[in-house]
DNA sequence: GCATGATCATGC
DNA sequence: GCATGATCATGC
């Protein structure tokens, strides 16, 4: 069946809304539990009635449209998220370097995407997953500029003979996701003899989440960068450019300039300041389109005059059941650091607290950062393994000791001297704020931290 | 001054 | 009520 016009195709695609895959599947393909591309294939064969292929050409070649069937999920707090990144075509390292963006395999195949969103539900047979929405997606102008920058960066790395060093953390929206059954899925690259892991262009999960929320929930976000700005500067350069005029000013002065009430104790103060510097008034950072689509998390860093934060940087509380039930490769912690980009907003105190309790805080600049893969796979993995070891081998010791007049709970989880990067410390409301361990014992809620010395090292070029 | 444990403040 | 970011307090 050939669809002659875009309208004809989209009319057909919308007929799938509300249907389950079981209702669509004419060939009982879904009875076979394994075939992983199953859901997309069912739509191709049974719904659109064309033969499954792996061409370099888009699925609906005459219209230049590529079909993608992609899942979203409902979170416990009621919001929707993409369940995974959207994997596009495999990167042929040997060929892709000989193209320009407009002639690239990525652009040839994926410039128009027919996205069919279905809801994934845990414990439900995939036959019963339902298609919610069919959308013809073309990249908005500003997004396309960022995608182009990402594509350029991937190509540059291949040209430098570093295809084996590609990582999803390199880019903003368009990633080079590893693809293949395991680490032996490798292929040749043109400027190095080292075999590189097979990778595919992909739209990051955070990007897909923004699309899910836009098309299923009609939630829109607010951009700070427009296409013409992004034609002049890379995303990262633009971000730095927007913050630059304020380097050297106190937090109070920046607030004054932007008409923001100076309230440094408020949890949202720095967030409001950042929004203002990006030209967005009174908005929560969660609604900034670029941050949301690229999964950029901002963190405030307050340095002492000696260039080191007084405190380490805390993260989420640990769910010990989760930590001990996952494999490292799919663990929450690993994904957390692979997928998050950090925007460190760095301030420095001019004096020690002793010298002046009302000391000033001066803005030093921003650091756009993601944790190097090496660090995730070494130090962070070490932490994860040690926690698992202590719990699984029942070697976790929780003691209650008197310290002065106070009874304190102490444990043998990794301390700040563990490996120079990360450690574990309690974080509860008080001594009663406890959480259960897999063996039923209770412990004061714990969270993982990045050491203050490690954070100091990341931002040291700003001071 | 640092390490470690404790707990506060805010916002959803 | 709880998660998160932030900071305090004490002992060595």
């Amino acid at each position: 069946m050939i669809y002659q016009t875009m309208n004809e195709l989209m009319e057909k695609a919308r007929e799938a809304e509300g249907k389950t895959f079981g209702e669509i599947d004419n060939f009982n393909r879904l009875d076979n539990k394994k075939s992983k591309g199953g859901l997309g294939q069912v739509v191709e064969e049974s719904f659109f009635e064309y033969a499954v292929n792996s061409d370099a050409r888009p699925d609906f070649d005459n219209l230049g449209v590529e079909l993608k069937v992609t899942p979203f999920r409902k979170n416990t707090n009621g919001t929707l998220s993409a369940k995974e990144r959207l994997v596009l075509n495999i990167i042929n390292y040997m060929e892709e370097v000989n193209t320009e963006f407009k002639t690239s395999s990525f652009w040839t195949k994926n410039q128009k995407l027919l996205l069919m969103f279905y809801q994934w539900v845990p414990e439900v047979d995939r036959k019963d997953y339902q298609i919610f929405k069919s959308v013809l997606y073309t990249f908005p102008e500003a997004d396309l500029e960022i995608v182009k920058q990402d594509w350029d960066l991937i190509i540059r790395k291949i040209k430098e003979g570093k295809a084996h060093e590609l990582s999803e953390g390199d880019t903003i929206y368009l990633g080079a996701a590893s693809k293949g059954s395991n680490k032996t899925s490798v292929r040749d690259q043109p400027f190095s003899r080292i075999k590189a892991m097979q990778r595919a262009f992909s739209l990051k999960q955070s990007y897909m989440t923004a699309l899910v929320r836009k098309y299923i929930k009609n939630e829109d976000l607010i951009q700070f960068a427009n296409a013409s700005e992004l034609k002049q500067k890379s995303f990262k350069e633009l971000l730095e450019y927007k913050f630059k005029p304020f380097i050297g000013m106190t937090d109070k002065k920046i607030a004054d300039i932007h008409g923001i009430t100076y309230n440094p104790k408020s949890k949202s103060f720095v967030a409001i300041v950042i929004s203002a510097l990006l030209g967005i008034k009174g908005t929560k950072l969660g609604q900034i389109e670029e941050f949301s689509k690229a999964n950029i998390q901002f963190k405030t860093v307050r340095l002492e005059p000696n260039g080191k934060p007084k405190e380490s940087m805390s993260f989420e509380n640990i769910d010990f059941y989760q930590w001990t039930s996952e494999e490292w490769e799919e663990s929450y912690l690993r994904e957390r650091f692979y997928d998050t980009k950090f925007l460190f907003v760095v301030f420095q105190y001019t004096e020690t607290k002793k010298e002046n309790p009302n000391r000033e805080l001066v803005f030093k600049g921003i650091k756009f950062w993601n944790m190097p893969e090496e660090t995730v796979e070494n130090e962070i993995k070490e932490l994860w393994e040690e926690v698992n070891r202590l719990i699984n081998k029942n070697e976790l010791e929780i003691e209650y000791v008197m310290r002065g007049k106070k009874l304190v709970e102490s444990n043998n989880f990794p301390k700040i001297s563990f490996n120079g990067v990360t450690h574990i410390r309690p974080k509860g409301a008080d001594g009663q704020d406890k959480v259960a361990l897999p063996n039923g014992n209770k412990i004061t809620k714990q969270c993982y931290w990045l050491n203050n010395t490690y954070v100091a090292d990341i931002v040291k070029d700003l001071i």
Side-chain angles (χ1 to χ4, degrees):
Chain A
M1 171 91 197
I2 299 273
Y3 299 88
Q4 299 295 347
T5 65
M6 208 66 100
N7 273 340
E8 212 180 297
L9 175 65
M10 288 314 294
E11 222 168 89
K12 174 74 179 169
R14 277 190 285 268
E15 287 173 18
E17 294 176 0
K19 290 202 165 76
T20 66
F21 289 93
E23 288 164 0
I24 289 171
D25 185 12
N26 293 333
F27 302 102
N28 299 325
R29 210 177 240 286
L30 298 177
D31 295 340
N32 178 353
K33 289 262 178 212
K34 40 183 202 234
S35 67
K36 206 189 169 197
L39 298 178
Q41 289 181 4
V42 164
V43 174
E44 290 180 319
E45 284 181 350
S46 295
F47 187 74
F48 289 111
E49 300 178 328
Y50 68 82
V52 176
N53 70 70
S54 56
D55 284 3
R57 301 295 312 161
D59 296 318
F60 300 99
D61 196 4
N62 60 319
L63 298 172
V65 174
E66 175 73 4
L67 173 68
K68 288 288 170 190
V69 177
T70 188
F72 66 89
R73 64 189 295 171
K74 201 170 197 169
N75 303 316
T76 41
N77 65 7
T79 58
L80 301 184
S81 292
K83 183 169 173 286
E84 50 203 47
R85 55 173 73 74
L86 185 71
V87 176
L88 304 168
N89 59 310
I90 295 239
I91 309 172
N92 182 329
Y93 302 125
M94 306 301 285
E95 300 292 335
E96 197 79 357
V97 288
N98 300 319
T99 64
E100 299 293 317
F101 182 75
K102 290 284 172 190
T103 59
S104 67
S105 72
F106 163 74
W107 188 244
T108 309
K109 197 166 163 77
N110 304 299
Q111 59 184 291
K112 290 184 200 141
L113 298 172
L114 169 49
L115 300 176
M116 294 174 82
F117 293 103
Y118 67 91
Q119 184 171 9
W120 174 88
V121 188
E123 313 289 318
V124 163
D125 193 312
R126 58 186 184 155
K127 272 192 229 171
D128 298 324
Y129 295 158
Q130 196 181 16
I131 295 173
F132 269 69
K133 193 95 184 169
S134 300
V135 176
L136 180 68
Y137 187 72
T138 52
F139 293 96
E141 219 187 334
D143 286 16
L144 184 56
E145 291 305 320
I146 293 176
V147 167
K148 268 190 209 164
Q149 291 169 10
D150 287 340
W151 183 87
D152 283 339
L153 196 147
I154 293 167
I155 297 310
R156 202 183 321 140
K157 227 165 166 174
I158 304 170
K159 285 184 174 168
E160 289 168 359
K162 292 179 181 168
H164 56 290
E165 288 178 18
L166 281 169
S167 131
E168 281 208 76
D170 293 344
T171 50
I172 316 284
Y173 294 164
L174 182 71
S178 59
K179 189 154 197 300
S181 37
N182 55 51
K183 291 214 150 56
T184 63
S185 304
V186 290
R187 47 162 72 211
D188 290 332
Q189 57 172 313
F191 302 107
S192 166
R193 273 189 233 162
I194 305 169
K195 299 259 190 195
M197 206 201 300
Q198 173 155 286
R199 288 181 184 271
F201 289 115
S202 67
L203 291 171
K204 298 195 177 181
Q205 188 173 359
S206 45
Y207 189 88
M208 293 309 294
T209 291
L211 297 194
V212 166
R213 293 178 183 173
K214 180 180 169 71
Y215 292 113
I216 313 272
K217 286 266 187 157
N218 291 317
E219 290 172 3
D220 272 311
L221 299 161
I222 302 154
Q223 282 183 346
F224 72 81
N226 62 45
S228 64
E229 286 176 308
L230 287 162
K231 279 182 177 145
Q232 309 296 319
K233 293 184 170 64
S234 74
F235 177 74
K236 191 173 161 231
E237 285 165 358
L238 187 60
L239 209 47
E240 277 160 3
Y241 173 80
K242 299 228 173 198
F243 283 92
K244 204 170 172 190
F246 305 95
I247 292 175
M249 291 184 190
T250 61
D251 57 345
K252 184 171 188 314
K253 183 157 184 209
I254 296 172
D256 283 349
I257 289 174
H258 290 94
I260 297 164
T261 314
Y262 179 63
N263 186 9
K265 288 240 156 117
S266 163
K267 251 178 118 155
S268 49
F269 176 66
V270 178
I272 293 169
V273 168
I274 295 170
S275 298
L277 300 196
L278 293 172
I280 298 169
K281 285 246 157 45
T283 305
K284 288 168 203 154
L285 283 175
Q287 291 167 286
I288 294 181
E289 182 155 339
E290 294 88 347
F291 287 13
S292 182
K293 284 183 171 171
N295 196 20
I296 296 169
Q297 181 182 22
F298 96 91
K299 288 269 190 188
T300 313
V301 178
R302 290 175 175 81
L303 301 171
E304 292 295 316
N306 68 4
K308 225 170 65 176
K310 184 170 178 297
E311 304 289 344
S312 296
M313 183 179 279
S314 72
F315 287 82
E316 304 84 18
N317 280 351
I318 298 171
D319 176 342
F320 290 101
Y321 286 97
Q322 185 181 34
W323 272 46
T324 51
S325 63
E326 293 171 326
E327 294 297 318
W328 166 249
E329 293 294 325
E330 291 85 38
S331 63
Y332 170 80
L333 194 64
R334 180 175 182 274
E335 298 283 302
R336 169 82 166 87
F337 282 109
Y338 268 92
D339 291 347
T340 310
K341 285 182 178 300
F342 291 95
L343 180 72
F344 292 127
V345 183
V346 183
F347 296 87
Q348 187 172 29
Y349 290 110
T350 48
E351 299 157 284
T352 63
K353 199 168 186 176
K354 226 176 207 174
E355 285 163 355
N356 180 1
N358 302 313
R359 57 198 177 149
E360 290 191 325
L361 192 58
V362 174
F363 177 55
K364 302 299 284 187
I366 58 163
K367 181 84 182 182
F368 194 48
W369 181 84
N370 57 280
M371 184 176 278
E373 265 187 52
E374 247 195 300
T375 311
V376 182
E377 295 293 348
N378 293 312
E379 285 87 350
I380 299 296
K381 188 179 176 188
E382 270 173 26
L383 181 84
W384 181 88
E385 282 177 337
E386 177 62 6
V387 170
N388 269 282
R389 191 186 69 79
L390 289 170
I391 290 176
N392 293 332
K393 298 218 160 163
N394 220 5
E395 287 177 18
L396 177 65
E397 293 161 14
I398 303 170
E399 290 176 340
Y400 294 88
V401 294
M402 292 305 291
R403 201 173 67 183
K405 287 174 188 156
K406 213 168 215 160
L407 183 67
V408 298
E409 179 189 281
S410 80
N411 63 56
N412 58 342
F413 277 135
K415 309 291 177 226
I416 201 163
S417 57
F418 179 59
N419 65 12
V421 172
T422 183
H423 66 279
I424 286 175
R425 290 231 307 277
K427 188 169 72 167
D430 54 40
Q432 313 313 313
D433 200 10
K434 299 196 180 219
V435 67
L437 292 160
N439 69 2
N441 290 346
K442 297 260 174 140
I443 187 170
T444 302
K445 287 178 182 168
Q446 307 282 320
C447 82
Y448 61 99
W449 302 66
L450 291 182
N451 296 3
N452 57 345
T453 48
Y454 180 65
V455 175
D457 198 52
I458 295 166
V459 303
K460 68 171 186 281
D461 53 327
L462 295 178
I463 57 166

